[in-house]
Amino acid sequence: VKKFYGDCRDKGVPVTEGLRVSTFLVDQGTIGDWTLEGLPTDELSIQNGIMVTRSQKWPLMIDPQSQGLGWIKSREGKNSLKITNLLEKRFRNVLEDAMAFGNPLMIENVIEDIDPVLDPVFNKEIQRKGRSLIIQLSDKECEYSEAFSLFLCSKLANPHFTPELFAQLTVINFTVTMGGLEQQLLGRVLQKERA
């Protein structure tokens, strides 16, 4: 980055030193709300929060420490968040209900192989039928609400997802880095000092 700034200055291109892209995408009020909901205050977590909330695709969080999971549970809890996993017996029913009623759905403990029945949901293959929206899940037409949101979370530290999955979802790495951990600890110390 320093080389980039130096190169720009040498060529006469105006450049802002110490630019943080995240300040363009969210304001301090939003970051404060995320912090109250449980998102850590380090720069990587803020960038991950931006990707979760702004992406056009559903987010798949690589989250071994469960920081992103805790944030989503706190953030979406007021919207009747439904939590399930792919191995649950009633998974399909929970998915259909969440899509029909517009509830957010968290699929926990995602492994590297994901059932292809979810492909129409991942690809947002939504069709209009009369006044209602539907989505075709293998052999069944399911109602779909535009209020529906989907979050996937994997506790695997180094998963090997298929290229197709990367194309269908926004894969976000919530793994804590050493610098991020330092910023989080500093943030917690400052919170204790202010209290």
Side-chain angles (χ1 to χ4, degrees):
V1 174
K2 291 187 188 314
K3 184 179 176 186
F4 174 75
Y5 283 132
D7 201 29
C8 287
R9 271 196 306 277
D10 293 344
K11 294 181 178 164
V13 176
V15 65
T16 303
E17 292 278 343
L19 179 68
R20 288 178 47 199
V21 176
S22 60
T23 57
F24 286 121
L25 298 174
V26 298
D27 58 11
Q28 288 301 317
T30 304
I31 292 171
D33 290 344
W34 290 350
T35 302
L36 291 173
E37 293 165 347
L39 186 69
T41 55
D42 62 288
E43 182 65 19
L44 181 64
S45 295
I46 301 300
Q47 291 172 4
N48 288 342
I50 291 168
M51 287 192 286
V52 167
T53 56
R54 298 276 180 101
S55 177
Q56 295 296 310
K57 300 177 190 175
W58 303 125
L60 167 54
M61 300 178 290
I62 299 170
D63 192 18
Q65 291 89 11
S66 298
Q67 291 187 332
L69 177 65
W71 173 56
I72 294 297
K73 283 181 176 179
S74 173
R75 177 182 174 78
E76 296 295 338
K78 61 185 174 287
N79 299 325
S80 303
L81 176 69
K82 306 295 180 211
I83 300 171
T84 187
N85 66 57
L86 294 168
L87 302 175
E88 188 175 312
K89 283 182 188 175
R90 295 184 30 81
F91 169 75
R92 183 100 179 248
N93 294 347
V94 173
L95 174 65
E96 290 172 13
D97 288 348
M99 287 192 306
F101 299 118
N103 298 119
L105 177 66
M106 167 64 77
I107 302 175
E108 293 182 307
N109 303 324
V110 172
I111 53 175
E112 292 168 346
D113 298 319
I114 297 179
D115 191 348
V117 77
L118 289 170
D119 285 349
V121 180
F122 292 166
N123 296 330
K124 298 186 180 180
E125 296 172 4
I126 303 158
Q127 303 165 2
R128 183 166 295 281
K129 197 169 196 178
R131 288 186 164 194
S132 59
L133 298 173
I134 59 149
I135 197 162
Q136 187 78 32
L137 284 184
S138 62
D139 59 335
K140 185 177 179 186
E141 285 185 351
C142 302
E143 288 183 48
Y144 185 87
S145 168
E146 289 180 341
F148 171 71
S149 57
L150 177 66
F151 304 93
L152 295 98
C153 186
S154 175
K155 289 194 180 289
L156 301 174
N158 189 18
H160 297 284
F161 295 121
T162 63
E164 293 81 17
L165 196 65
F166 278 96
Q168 292 172 315
L169 303 170
T170 300
V171 180
I172 304 167
N173 193 347
F174 268 87
T175 305
V176 177
T177 62
M178 188 57 77
L181 187 58
E182 289 173 8
Q183 287 180 341
Q184 289 176 29
L185 289 172
L186 180 62
R188 287 193 177 169
V189 167
L190 289 173
Q191 277 182 329
K192 292 285 185 199
E193 291 285 321
R194 289 180 189 145

